[in-house]
Amino acid sequence: MGKVTGFMEIDRQVAKYQPASDRIRHFREFTIPMSDAEVTKQAARCMDCGIPYCHGPTGCPVHNQIPDWNDLVYSNKWEEAIRNLHSTNNFPEFTGRVCPAPCEEACTLNLEDAPVAIKTVEQAIADKAYELGYIVPQPATVKTGRKVAIIGSGPAGMAAAQQLARAGHEVHVYERETKAGGLLRYGIPDFKMEKNFIDRRVEQMTGEGVTFHYGVNVGVDKPTEELMAEHDAVIYCGGSETPRPAGIPGVDLHGVYDAMPYLVQQNRRVGRENIDSTGWPAEPILAGAKHVVVVGGGDTASDCVGTAFRQGAVKVTQLDIRPMPPEKEDKLAVWPFWATKMRTSSSQAEGANREFQVATLEFVGEDGVLTGVRCCQVDERRKPIAGTDFIIKADLAFIAIGFSGPMKTGVVSELEGKLTLNTDRRGSTNVVANDRDYKTSIDKLYVAGDVRRGQSLVVWAIREGRQVARAVDEALMGASVLPR
Ligand SMILES: Cc1cc2nc3c(=O)[nH]c(=O)nc-3n(C[C@H](O)[C@H](O)[C@H](O)COP(=O)(O)OP(=O)(O)OC[C@H]3O[C@@H](n4cnc5c(N)ncnc54)[C@H](O)[C@@H]3O)c2cc1C
Ligand code: SF4
């Protein structure tokens, strides 16, 4: 434990943001990094509880050993801190930026509303380790002679690839897009995480022997069975990117889009790529000088809000069918679990007009072009309340109500009838495999990440990538020293 009385003497502090009026002028990250001394003070607040709820099971999905690295940071032992952090998390600079931090919800100090700034310390350890040159390729010293193919280079595929290469296997990652990262690169905007962090990891992994093959849509450009014949095992980490159908009349009007094409386009623009590559519409979708309505209340919706502000939207309204959550949770009823309470994302804080308990009835327009969104209030059971209809002016509307499973063209359509799928309680159709052996219904084919569990979080994708790597290593070699 760092400082015994740290939590009593030091107030919680997290990295501050640039003011909204400044940050909406660019697409770069806008957090102002804390000094080493400030981070060290925050680490000193950790109480090293007898039961560290922060690292599981309700806290960190990869079971980061949070009290241990807080202590190492407090003692200025950055190299040991990154070694410890890497022992559970391949990419802490990703999670340190985009994780919603269930660990902080589970922190004992959260009972007092002032959890340890775990995510801030995690990001600082990773950034400092890069600065000090501690993050370098760690190629395996002994090769196994076994070949593994991974379909998809999102956080699940990247974590699996890194683990398997370090275990001595020859690893090939096949990616449909032009660059690696999956939704980290093409879904999550740069203002939440800049993409050079992915490039640095790709470079590290290439140095560890991983080969990336871009522009290969497996199941379309290359049959999955061919890949299986060429490798000892194949892991499908294809994500869950099919937008959930909204079933709202008027979706065909010009000006109504699913969230993903919009976010993918802007990420490509920032990354200086063609906006029309791989399957999304080529028509530019831009919010400048427009009234924008975003349907949905999650991360994807928030990212549309922040993107629209940066493109110069006049007004952005976000519609959430759920009731407005309470300002504060009943701690004793929910802690150490994730609480439903009013949360305001940095994008929403940039000036979004948020409407709760509102259903979207119809997109309305003139001459085929969107002019507004007809809505109404709903009751606690989401049933429309008669006589509450109203129209919000809109030139552009985005539907961000979730995802219904992997893209239909590719592996799933090619293996139809052989690959077992099921539909979860959120209505997402996923590939079936358990979280011990990650085996699909097809021999030699494994599955991990969103394609197995439905649209989730980066940290869960990393966890599944690590675990499937262990399962494959064990199946190929009879035993594995990779951690689960
Ligand atoms: C807009 C948005 C914002 C989000 N924000 C957050 C956030 O702030 N924090 C957070 O923790 N999570 C967030 N998430 C969720 C998170 O991004 C995902 O849970 C995570 O990326 C899943 O990782 P994955 O590797 O399973 O799949 P993905 O990241 O989806 O990667 C799948 C990869 O497989 C490739 N692929 C698919 N099929 C094929 C094929 N047949 N051949 C070759 N390649 C293929 C795809 O091109 C893609 O690169 C967000 C998601 C979205 C959509
Ligand atoms: S990965 Fe997420 S849950 Fe785990 S320590 Fe980091 S911020 Fe917390």
Side-chain angles (χ1 to χ4, degrees):
M1 177 176 186
K3 188 167 194 213
V4 179
T5 52
F7 69 99
M8 293 193 287
E9 293 167 20
I10 303 162
D11 288 336
R12 170 181 160 93
Q13 199 195 328
V14 292
K16 293 196 173 52
Y17 295 160
Q18 287 173 5
S21 55
D22 292 349
R23 67 184 190 244
I24 61 165
R25 291 169 199 275
H26 61 80
F27 279 88
R28 296 184 306 280
E29 287 183 13
F30 51 78
T31 46
I32 302 165
M34 285 163 57
S35 68
D36 292 354
E38 285 169 324
V39 173
T40 304
K41 273 173 79 178
Q42 290 305 307
R45 293 185 66 243
C46 179
M47 299 192 293
D48 194 12
C49 309
I51 299 175
Y53 290 95
C54 57
H55 79 166
T58 65
C60 177
V62 288
H63 305 306
N64 276 342
Q65 298 167 34
I66 297 159
D68 294 6
W69 44 253
N70 274 326
D71 181 39
L72 292 165
V73 168
Y74 175 68
S75 315
N76 260 308
K77 294 178 180 163
W78 295 95
E79 189 168 11
E80 282 176 60
I82 191 66
R83 203 178 309 134
N84 186 306
L85 185 46
H86 271 154
S87 73
T88 54
N89 185 353
N90 297 62
F91 313 120
E93 68 280 21
F94 300 170
T95 46
R97 285 176 168 77
V98 302
C99 188
C103 53
E104 294 189 11
E105 292 285 311
C107 174
T108 310
L109 284 175
N110 189 32
L111 285 165
E112 296 283 338
D113 275 328
V116 174
I118 298 169
K119 179 174 156 169
T120 303
V121 177
E122 181 179 36
Q123 180 185 334
I125 296 172
D127 289 353
K128 186 83 184 160
Y130 266 112
E131 185 191 312
L132 296 174
Y134 298 148
I135 302 185
V136 291
Q138 297 173 31
T141 43
V142 179
K143 299 287 184 192
T144 63
R146 301 301 178 101
K147 264 177 98 174
V148 181
I150 296 174
I151 306 169
S153 65
M158 285 180 71
Q162 184 162 63
Q163 293 295 94
L164 285 165
R166 288 179 177 178
H169 303 298
E170 183 183 328
V171 179
H172 293 262
V173 177
Y174 291 83
E175 171 53 56
R176 188 183 61 204
E177 300 286 350
T178 39
K179 291 183 181 175
L183 289 177
L184 263 178
R185 184 182 294 274
Y186 294 109
I188 295 176
D190 277 65
F191 54 82
K192 271 166 62 182
M193 192 186 103
E194 289 176 12
K195 311 310 174 196
N196 61 314
F197 299 111
I198 305 171
D199 299 336
R200 286 196 311 203
R201 284 296 178 180
V202 168
E203 201 179 313
Q204 181 195 33
M205 289 166 64
T206 305
E208 290 167 354
V210 176
T211 309
F212 288 85
H213 307 261
Y214 298 113
V216 186
N217 190 354
V218 177
V220 176
D221 304 321
K222 185 175 177 68
T224 314
E225 286 181 357
E226 189 178 299
L227 208 60
M228 284 165 50
E230 291 167 357
H231 296 82
D232 297 296
V234 175
I235 310 174
Y236 178 33
C237 298
S240 172
E241 271 191 87
T242 304
R244 177 167 298 148
I248 302 170
V251 284
D252 295 333
L253 287 169
H254 190 256
V256 182
Y257 300 92
D258 281 315
M260 279 310 286
Y262 179 55
L263 296 173
V264 171
Q265 245 190 35
Q266 185 54 38
N267 277 317
R268 286 197 198 288
R269 242 179 236 117
V270 175
R272 297 177 194 281
E273 288 190 59
N274 278 341
I275 59 167
D276 61 347
S277 25
T278 56
W280 301 102
E283 172 195 42
I285 315 170
L286 292 163
K290 290 188 177 154
H291 286 73
V292 177
V293 170
V294 181
V295 181
D299 269 341
T300 307
S302 241
D303 292 346
C304 289
V305 170
T307 302
F309 279 129
R310 280 161 184 73
Q311 291 181 346
V314 181
K315 186 174 180 189
V316 183
T317 305
Q318 194 183 348
L319 306 178
D320 198 330
I321 199 165
R322 296 167 299 182
M324 185 188 282
E327 247 345 285
K328 253 175 90 62
E329 71 275 38
D330 177 357
K331 281 279 185 284
L332 294 180
V334 292
W335 182 88
F337 292 91
W338 184 259
T340 301
K341 65 177 173 187
M342 189 65 176
R343 295 174 197 269
T344 303
S345 70
S346 59
S347 294
Q348 289 161 338
E350 287 159 6
N353 175 34
R354 296 171 76 184
E355 299 274 358
F356 289 95
Q357 243 174 306
V358 161
T360 309
L361 299 176
E362 183 185 11
F363 297 106
V364 291
E366 281 166 26
D367 302 325
V369 178
L370 178 76
T371 55
V373 183
R374 193 162 68 82
C375 312
C376 73
Q377 296 291 331
V378 293
D379 64 17
E380 301 289 324
R381 288 168 304 130
R382 301 188 179 184
K383 295 274 178 284
I385 302 172
T388 62
D389 286 24
F390 60 101
I391 288 191
I392 303 174
K393 177 179 162 63
D395 313 299
L396 199 54
F398 298 116
I399 303 169
I401 57 166
F403 298 85
S404 64
M407 293 297 233
K408 296 292 171 265
T409 46
V411 178
V412 170
S413 55
E414 196 197 21
L415 299 179
E416 199 175 351
K418 296 186 196 159
L419 199 57
T420 306
L421 308 172
N422 79 348
T423 302
D424 67 19
R425 62 181 172 79
R426 294 185 299 166
S428 176
T429 301
N430 311 320
V431 178
V432 173
N434 67 40
D435 66 358
R436 299 298 304 178
D437 64 24
Y438 289 88
K439 283 181 175 166
T440 67
S441 46
I442 298 174
D443 190 35
K444 277 173 56 175
L445 183 65
Y446 298 74
V447 70
D450 280 3
V451 68
R452 191 192 76 83
R453 59 184 294 118
Q455 180 76 222
S456 181
L457 294 174
V458 169
V459 64
W460 276 102
I462 295 173
R463 168 185 161 135
E464 296 219 346
R466 292 171 65 82
Q467 292 193 341
V468 74
R470 154 97 193 200
V472 168
D473 190 35
E474 221 167 5
L476 295 181
M477 308 303 293
S480 176
V481 292
L482 290 176
R484 255 185 67 80

